[in-house]
Amino acid sequence: MSKVWFVGAGPGDPDLITVKGRDLIARADAILFAGSLVSEAATRWARDDCVIADSKGMTLEEIVAWLIEQAEADKTVIRLQTGDPGLYGALIEMVQPLDAAGIDIGVVPGVSSAMASAAAGVESLTLPEVTQTVILTRIEGRTPMPEGESIEELAVHHCTLCLFLSISLLKKVQQALLDAGWSPEAPVLVVHKASWPGEEKIIRGTISDIRDKCKQEKINSQAMIIASPTLGARQWPELKRSKLYDASFSHRFRKGVKAAP
Ligand code: SAH
């Protein structure tokens, strides 16, 4: 039976695809990749006779029609998506018509650009007693935000915010964070093309100066904005340590020892 696989290609570095994703590519009969972000290098493991196409100029209907056409008897078809297919990837819009056509579906998760951006900056998105929460969101653009999900409302938690699809609206992001009570000096990290070999750019700034810094570097697309009270912790002189590795903390795999009085 044919199957269409939605495979997360990862954030850009072809080596960041999962082993399962790579193995599927190696046996795929057809691959449709999202040209604007997924590097063609991700198709480097495809068979010579694999049909490979770029969806850059296609509408959703054309994408679905291509996938259905390729998914003839016993074919393995891949829709290769940037990062993780379940984040801003129009996954369900594609899955529904394939379901209606009776085609079997599978999803292989991918390394999201949010994770790759944190890794690029050697940052932890959570820290004990600083924040234990990460919000993956975006600023309102042409896609409206559901009620209660404006950045102002989400930012009142003062947790980590990873903002997709928002770099061209950095001014609105700045204002939203300030309106939510963040200090103008609060750190912000912007990573452009996280993990792309030779193309990654890391910009560190504060809410007040990050826009100018991004302008200077001409960054206005393909960038992740991370605002978080954890940023820069690598340089902090004192850290609250994770309980998991604390000598006095018992858990399933280790018995804690009482600290000497
Ligand atoms: N599914 C993807 C997100 C797709 S939406 C994921 O999980 O990463 C596209 C947005 O993702 C871009 O506007 C940008 O904000 C972000 N993005 C994708 N790849 C990126 C990369 N390599 N570096 C920084 N941001 C990236």
Side-chain angles (χ1 to χ4, degrees):
M1 190 183 174
S2 298
K3 188 157 180 168
V4 173
W5 289 93
F6 292 85
V7 174
D13 179 349
D15 283 346
L16 286 178
I17 196 168
T18 62
V19 173
K20 180 160 184 167
R22 193 185 59 189
D23 288 352
L24 277 168
I25 286 175
R27 64 180 174 86
D29 298 290
I31 299 173
L32 185 63
F33 68 92
S36 55
L37 278 175
V38 177
S39 156
E40 255 191 271
T43 57
R44 68 166 71 150
W45 300 285
R47 286 181 351 224
D48 286 345
D49 60 344
C50 178
V51 180
I52 300 177
D54 185 347
S55 65
K56 198 164 48 199
M58 294 185 183
T59 62
L60 191 81
E61 287 70 26
E62 288 165 346
I63 289 175
V64 169
W66 194 95
L67 295 173
I68 291 177
E69 193 189 318
Q70 294 298 326
E72 302 155 20
D74 271 341
K75 290 277 171 77
T76 297
V77 180
I78 293 183
R79 167 65 179 157
L80 195 58
Q81 309 216 171
T82 158
D84 181 80
L87 288 168
Y88 309 105
L91 175 65
I92 304 304
E93 286 112 296
M94 290 181 271
V95 165
Q96 280 191 350
L98 292 173
D99 276 344
I103 293 169
D104 201 12
I105 302 275
V107 180
V108 180
V111 175
S112 173
S113 55
M115 278 62 223
S117 298
V122 194
E123 297 287 355
S124 179
L125 300 178
T126 61
L127 276 180
E129 297 180 43
V130 178
T131 185
Q132 294 287 284
T133 305
V134 182
I135 294 179
L136 306 180
T137 188
R138 60 170 299 171
I139 196 141
E140 184 164 72
R142 273 178 293 178
T143 306
M145 289 303 277
E147 211 182 309
E149 293 188 22
S150 69
I151 306 240
E152 291 88 328
E153 286 163 292
L154 298 173
V156 296
H157 298 287
H158 289 270
C159 60
T160 297
L161 300 171
C162 296
L163 304 176
F164 293 75
L165 300 159
S166 303
I167 193 71
S168 63
L169 297 170
L170 203 44
K171 194 172 180 182
K172 271 172 86 178
V173 171
Q174 284 174 310
Q175 196 54 52
L177 294 174
L178 295 173
D179 289 349
W182 289 49
S183 155
E185 298 313 310
V188 178
L189 174 73
V190 169
V191 183
H192 172 71
K193 289 201 165 183
S195 87
W196 282 63
E199 295 189 56
E200 179 181 274
K201 277 189 189 166
I202 300 176
I203 317 290
R204 288 180 182 275
T206 61
I207 292 178
S208 48
D209 69 13
I210 192 73
R211 192 160 155 259
D212 287 341
K213 288 188 169 175
C214 287
K215 258 191 190 160
Q216 270 163 28
E217 296 288 330
K218 298 192 174 56
I219 290 169
N220 48 27
S221 67
Q222 298 184 27
M224 174 65 47
I225 306 167
I226 300 182
S228 171
T230 65
L231 292 177
R234 190 181 187 183
Q235 268 90 40
W236 295 354
E238 264 183 69
L239 269 189
K240 300 279 186 200
R241 301 272 290 273
S242 168
K243 292 265 189 289
L244 192 60
Y245 303 112
D246 191 295
S248 66
F249 191 70
S250 297
H251 58 72
R252 216 146 48 97
F253 304 110
R254 182 164 55 76
K255 192 159 167 41
V257 287
K258 282 225 167 68

